[in-house]
Amino acid sequence: MTEAHRLAAACGILGVVLNLVAVGALQGTPHTYKPGHVDLWLAESLAAPGATMVSAWAFTVGLALLVPFCVGLARRDGGTSTGAAIVGIGALLDAVGTFGPVAAIHGGGQAFLWFTLLLDSCFNFLSGLGLLAIAAGMRGWPRGLRALAIVAGLASLPVALQFQSDAFAGLLAVSGPLWCAWIVWASVALARA
């Protein structure tokens, strides 16, 4: 089981790294995932197709890697299995939409950006809910890790409304680092299990 834990831990850490790469690729497109400025998001994506493609691939693979991380988490501690399943489902749903901006720049237009935004909103809701469920079921984990799951979960829930306003979308600057830090810490703990 130790090798399986290490593999799941590696998937969690690589998933976070790829999400950071995706965010880094979008630094030149400040209106990305902003519902009040989808027209500017499209224009910025059209002006930076390479960055849009890098971001799409990194988000897709990074989110997909969170699934084996969640499976490893559930295997280590059955009390976390419901929450891990919720986070994993959210990650898969979000991964479905991460190529929306690429479709948008190839003639799909704003509809694909809205699709991406809605699935990302769903991910933030499910990851928030999942992290809270994980925290409730954690046994034998560091207390600080459980506390971080609660904080990250609570911070993620309002980001589910990011499709309604830029203000909610801006909260991702708080919740994103929190859930990324939680996954890295949980991955390290998982690798040591």
Side-chain angles (χ1 to χ4, degrees):
M1 192 64 105
T2 305
E3 282 304 313
H5 288 154
R6 287 190 187 129
L7 180 59
C11 287
I13 291 170
L14 186 55
V16 167
V17 168
L18 286 172
N19 272 274
L20 295 175
V21 167
V23 170
L26 296 174
Q27 291 307 301
T29 56
H31 296 96
T32 301
Y33 291 89
K34 301 282 192 309
H37 300 16
V38 175
D39 55 335
L40 293 175
W41 180 8
L42 180 58
E44 291 166 356
S45 297
L46 286 165
T52 301
M53 184 66 77
V54 168
S55 176
W57 274 108
F59 271 140
T60 302
V61 176
L63 287 162
L65 285 171
L66 295 184
V67 175
F69 163 75
C70 289
V71 170
L73 188 68
R75 282 187 171 175
R76 183 203 184 270
D77 181 355
T80 65
S81 59
T82 299
I86 293 169
V87 171
I89 289 167
L92 280 178
L93 284 173
D94 200 10
V96 168
T98 50
F99 266 94
V102 174
I105 64 175
H106 287 0
Q110 292 184 16
F112 281 100
L113 297 180
W114 278 106
F115 181 69
T116 297
L117 184 59
L118 289 169
L119 287 177
D120 196 55
S121 295
C122 184
F123 168 70
N124 284 295
F125 175 73
L126 291 174
S127 64
L129 189 65
L131 284 167
L132 292 173
I134 287 169
M138 291 180 98
R139 304 289 179 261
W141 295 82
R143 282 186 188 170
L145 185 58
R146 183 174 182 265
L148 183 56
I150 293 168
V151 171
L154 290 173
S156 294
L157 288 175
V159 185
L161 297 173
Q162 72 186 52
F163 67 92
Q164 289 194 338
S165 79
D166 291 0
F168 286 113
L171 296 175
L172 190 57
V174 174
S175 67
L178 288 171
W179 66 256
C180 284
W182 183 84
I183 289 174
V184 169
W185 188 359
S187 294
V188 170
L190 192 58
R192 293 178 176 169

